Amino acid sequence: MYRRLLTVVVAALALGLLGLLGSQALAGKNNTLRPNPANDSSLIRKKLDKERYHGAGGCARRTPKGTKALEKWMKRNSTRNVFTGTIRCDGGVHGTGRALDFGLDARVKKQKRFAMRFINTWLARDSKGRRNALARRMGIQLIIFNCRFWQTGNSGLSSYSVCRGGRKGVDTTQAHIDHIHVELTRPAAKLKTSFWRSGLAGGKAGKGGGGGGSGGL
């Protein structure tokens, strides 16, 4: 009897601890765009876009419409006063024009908050519990920021290879500390994923959690 009682007490304490850890983990994700566009009535009933990754190939002459649209949407929901970069013929996805470098610096508190607001929003579950909902809707296939990365199909951020030996002495650009790197799939670059087809791209999302709205720096 005493063993059974002890088992019940231990189990209850374990569940309480897990609940506390879970709430603490979620607390870091409260800095999101509100409302999350993934929950918009024009999207929530629709099937999520496929998880895809499209590699490099060739060198584009013009920045695709989808990359331009993503840049405008990010500026609208953070700050217009930011450097951006798209086509760079380095043999990577930048050469296709489907990669965007958006200059938010993790060493600057307010800029880091904007960056994490985007990332948290992209990777959040929608109201139906589907993870990475907005990233899939937008056709985002890769995100790198502040020594961490996410790739389509992943459940969260992982350590970026450049920083695995520690941050001391790493190049801030290679480590993506001074900007977010975002890549789009081929359909997204052509505005052919559900978010870009919905018409939501032209609007500004509501206020973000975690302190402050989505006004400029």
Side-chain angles (χ1 to χ4, degrees):
M1 179 177 177
Y2 289 108
R3 287 183 179 178
R4 186 178 298 174
L5 179 60
L6 180 61
T7 301
V8 171
V9 171
V10 170
L13 288 172
L15 287 172
L17 178 60
L18 286 173
L20 177 61
L21 291 174
S23 65
Q24 288 175 340
L26 288 173
K29 296 183 179 181
N30 287 339
N31 179 23
T32 60
L33 291 174
R34 296 181 185 177
N36 187 331
N39 293 320
D40 190 84
S41 59
S42 64
L43 291 177
I44 196 64
R45 294 183 181 87
K46 294 181 179 179
K47 186 177 180 180
L48 277 182
D49 303 76
K50 292 181 180 180
E51 293 180 307
R52 301 172 175 174
Y53 185 90
H54 295 135
C59 188
R61 294 183 178 180
R62 297 179 181 175
T63 301
K65 292 180 180 179
T67 310
K68 289 181 178 179
L70 175 63
E71 179 183 354
K72 288 180 181 179
W73 182 82
M74 290 180 72
K75 284 186 174 182
R76 193 176 296 119
N77 285 288
S78 60
T79 175
R80 297 179 185 277
N81 302 317
V82 61
F83 78 85
T84 57
T86 53
I87 297 173
R88 184 173 68 248
C89 296
D90 55 2
V93 177
H94 271 293
T96 68
R98 293 186 285 110
L100 171 67
D101 286 339
F102 196 87
L104 293 174
D105 196 319
R107 297 165 297 181
V108 180
K109 187 175 181 180
K110 194 170 185 179
Q111 293 185 34
K112 182 180 180 181
R113 189 167 70 245
F114 277 128
M116 292 311 302
R117 185 172 299 163
F118 284 129
I119 294 170
N120 291 339
T121 304
W122 286 326
L123 305 188
R125 293 178 183 269
D126 64 16
S127 59
K128 290 193 172 184
R130 297 172 294 192
R131 69 182 188 181
N132 307 327
L134 189 59
R136 291 180 64 176
R137 295 287 188 196
M138 286 186 159
I140 292 173
Q141 65 178 25
L142 179 69
I143 305 165
I144 313 173
F145 178 66
N146 195 25
C147 284
R148 294 189 294 171
F149 82 98
W150 171 87
Q151 186 170 309
T152 184
N154 291 356
S155 59
L157 294 166
S158 301
S159 177
Y160 187 50
S161 59
V162 172
C163 306
R164 282 176 187 158
R167 297 191 180 203
K168 188 176 180 180
V170 298
D171 183 277
T172 55
T173 299
Q174 288 186 348
H176 297 77
I177 291 171
D178 59 9
H179 69 283
I180 309 179
H181 173 93
V182 190
E183 293 181 7
L184 295 176
T185 61
R186 288 171 186 155
K190 297 177 182 178
L191 300 176
K192 291 185 177 181
T193 60
S194 58
F195 175 81
W196 305 113
R197 285 173 165 169
S198 70
L200 292 171
K204 184 173 181 177
K207 290 183 178 181
S214 49
L217 293 175

